Amino acid sequence: MSEALQQVQNLKERMQRSIIGQEDVIDRLIIGLLANGNLLVEGLPGLAKTRAIKAMAKNMEADFSRIQFTPDLLPSDVTGTEVYHQSGGTGTFRFEKGPIFANIVLADEINRAPAKVQAALLEAMEERQVTVSGKTHKMEPLFMVMATQNPVEQEGTYPLPEAQMDRFLMHVLITYPPVEDEIEIIRLVRGEETAALASSAGDEGSKASTDTAAASIEQEAIFAARAEIGAIHVSEASERYMADLVQATRTPDRFSTDLARWIDIGASPRASLALDKCSRTHAWLAGRDYVDPLDIRAIAHDVLRHRLSLSFEADGDGISPDKVVDEIVAQVALT
């Protein structure tokens, strides 16, 4: 096991101590980080979306910021703005950075912000830069956005257009934890509250923060991991399999009558690129130096579910994007 993989495994273990019952979310967060992508996380309130991203940032040498999206938010509230400074009888404009200038950014309830604000965030995600008053400002080399949205409450929201959804590497769904995990969550939070009260009366809190800092993963480890992931072997058969999965979303009539009825618009080439990045990362985390078809299938739903435009007939029949991806995986053979 390489040193980079060991450090990433340590990061995962530390996150699992803070997050119970959401192992898939932790895995996808780490895959997104290592694949240099951004995630759209969808789930009901209280399912540890914020806690998960904060647990990642806390255990890394990384700056963290949280942006609460609201209908009255302005693009400058995200990107920053030019501020006039006067000194010695002369004045100059200086750029004051907004909360987007951090290593790990939580964009909470992104669908509550109007289109201009969403566009400002998506420029930073796609181009790794923001443009303010005609000047370009680059993001840090380590930069990741986890955007969340509530799937139920739609009043006062601005749904993301399909073209903007396509820019997210993966769309991760969070569900309710089982009863056993919920009991462990109660115990975990109770223990944290008790420890916080105890530390406020002594110096245990400073010791705990020191221990956390000592165990934090360095940014260099992430860059080293990305270099190793770039060297993961992908066979021609695996490349063809990824391309065939995406092609099946564009020509569904070639595979089954159900897919032809369900899919209106298929996935873009970004889907193929995301399958390649995420499958290589999945293989690296499993300790392999090659991509197996199981790696591709493991992340296919997260990569494809937000890139499919389903028909009215599919919506009327209650067909979910995951059901469509299930059918695609079942119909497309590995050649």
Side-chain angles (χ1 to χ4, degrees), residues 12 15-16 19-32 39 41-43 47-53 56 144 146 170 172-175 302:
K12 180 178 179 180
M15 291 177 66
Q16 287 174 334
I19 310 296
I20 295 174
Q22 300 292 1
E23 292 186 6
D24 286 345
V25 177
I26 294 174
D27 287 339
R28 270 41 183 179
L29 271 174
I30 291 176
I31 289 175
L39 305 185
V41 182
E42 185 173 312
L47 294 182
K49 298 186 293 292
T50 301
R51 187 181 177 93
I53 194 73
M56 170 177 280
M144 174 185 179
M146 188 182 97
M170 291 188 289
V172 183
L173 300 182
I174 303 182
T175 58
D302 301 285

Side-chain angles (χ1 to χ4, degrees), residues 169-185:
L169 183 73
M170 291 188 289
H171 180 192
V172 183
L173 300 182
I174 303 182
T175 58
Y176 287 121
V179 173
E180 294 77 10
D181 288 340
E182 193 138 3
I183 294 172
E184 291 300 319
I185 292 171

Side-chain angles (χ1 to χ4, degrees), residues 5-122:
L5 180 55
Q6 181 64 57
Q7 291 200 51
V8 171
Q9 294 289 1
N10 290 340
L11 172 63
K12 180 178 179 180
E13 291 171 6
R14 291 186 64 86
M15 291 177 66
Q16 287 174 334
R17 297 176 197 170
S18 300
I19 310 296
I20 295 174
Q22 300 292 1
E23 292 186 6
D24 286 345
V25 177
I26 294 174
D27 287 339
R28 270 41 183 179
L29 271 174
I30 291 176
I31 289 175
L33 177 69
L34 298 178
N36 198 19
N38 306 286
L39 305 185
L40 177 62
V41 182
E42 185 173 312
L44 295 169
L47 294 182
K49 298 186 293 292
T50 301
R51 187 181 177 93
I53 194 73
K54 290 178 74 173
M56 170 177 280
K58 182 182 70 174
N59 292 293
M60 292 178 56
E61 291 183 356
D63 295 328
F64 169 77
S65 69
R66 180 178 183 269
I67 308 171
Q68 181 63 53
F69 281 71
T70 57
D72 61 346
L73 203 68
L74 298 174
S76 58
D77 295 328
V78 175
T79 62
T81 187
E82 295 279 344
V83 178
Y84 185 75
H85 291 265
Q86 188 170 3
S87 177
T90 60
T92 58
F93 282 96
R94 300 177 191 170
F95 178 66
E96 297 288 342
K97 292 182 178 180
I100 193 65
F101 285 90
N103 300 121
I104 298 178
V105 179
L106 171 62
D108 213 1
E109 295 188 288
I110 185 177
N111 57 334
R112 287 204 172 277
K116 285 186 178 180
V117 180
Q118 294 177 4
L121 174 68
L122 291 166

Side-chain angles (χ1 to χ4, degrees), residues 151 165 233 236-237 295 322:
M165 293 276 284
H233 176 69
E236 290 186 12
D295 297 313
D322 282 358

